[in-house]
Amino acid sequence: MREIERPRAKTISELMEEIRRQKGAKEYSGHEYFDLNRFAEDTRHMVIFDVLSEDSPVGWKGERTRAYLTEAGYKNVLASQEKGHIRILSHARVNQGRLAYDSPDSLR
């Protein structure tokens, strides 16, 4: 007798992501909203940025990207912005996976 394969149950984060998208949230290149990097012990920042130049060390020109970053990674992103390679559109502090946005109307 053949076993019937049942679809895998969705995780809570998958269900929450589905609801976010239904409410109009956008997905960006880079890390997903509930990416494991968000919950890494040394993650301190989340940024959403546009890539402005072909010389950018991250992403492709015209791409919008989300990244969860350590302090060192955030300094690198700020340096890339100063050089004109990217433009940061949204920033949040990260503490144990919780996001504290700089502004209530920040991109999410």
Side-chain angles (χ1 to χ4, degrees):
M1 181 172 274
R2 289 174 54 176
E3 279 189 40
I4 298 174
E5 284 190 38
R6 294 186 180 168
R8 175 183 71 82
K10 293 181 182 179
T11 65
I12 289 178
S13 64
E14 288 171 332
L15 291 171
M16 291 175 73
E17 183 64 19
E18 196 174 288
I19 291 168
R20 282 182 66 252
R21 287 191 182 142
Q22 288 172 358
K23 291 185 176 193
K26 305 240 184 313
E27 193 52 55
Y28 307 110
S29 297
H31 294 140
E32 294 180 0
Y33 189 75
F34 285 107
D35 196 280
L36 290 178
N37 287 300
R38 175 177 172 168
F39 304 95
E41 197 172 297
D42 59 347
T43 297
R44 296 290 174 264
H45 301 272
M46 185 282 306
V47 292
I48 298 172
F49 59 91
D50 284 339
V51 180
L52 304 176
S53 78
E54 298 290 343
D55 299 328
S56 175
V58 291
W60 306 100
K61 185 176 180 179
E63 191 172 55
R64 185 162 285 177
T65 303
R66 174 188 293 115
Y68 294 102
L69 305 164
T70 62
E71 286 295 338
Y74 184 59
K75 286 179 184 177
N76 290 338
V77 165
L78 291 174
S80 288
Q81 180 170 256
E82 284 182 29
K83 293 175 185 173
H85 297 303
I86 67 168
R87 181 178 64 233
I88 297 173
L89 305 171
S90 182
H91 172 266
R93 291 237 170 235
V94 181
N95 184 4
Q96 297 178 341
R98 291 185 206 96
L99 303 178
Y101 288 91
D102 293 348
S103 171
D105 59 346
S106 293
L107 289 177
R108 299 182 190 240

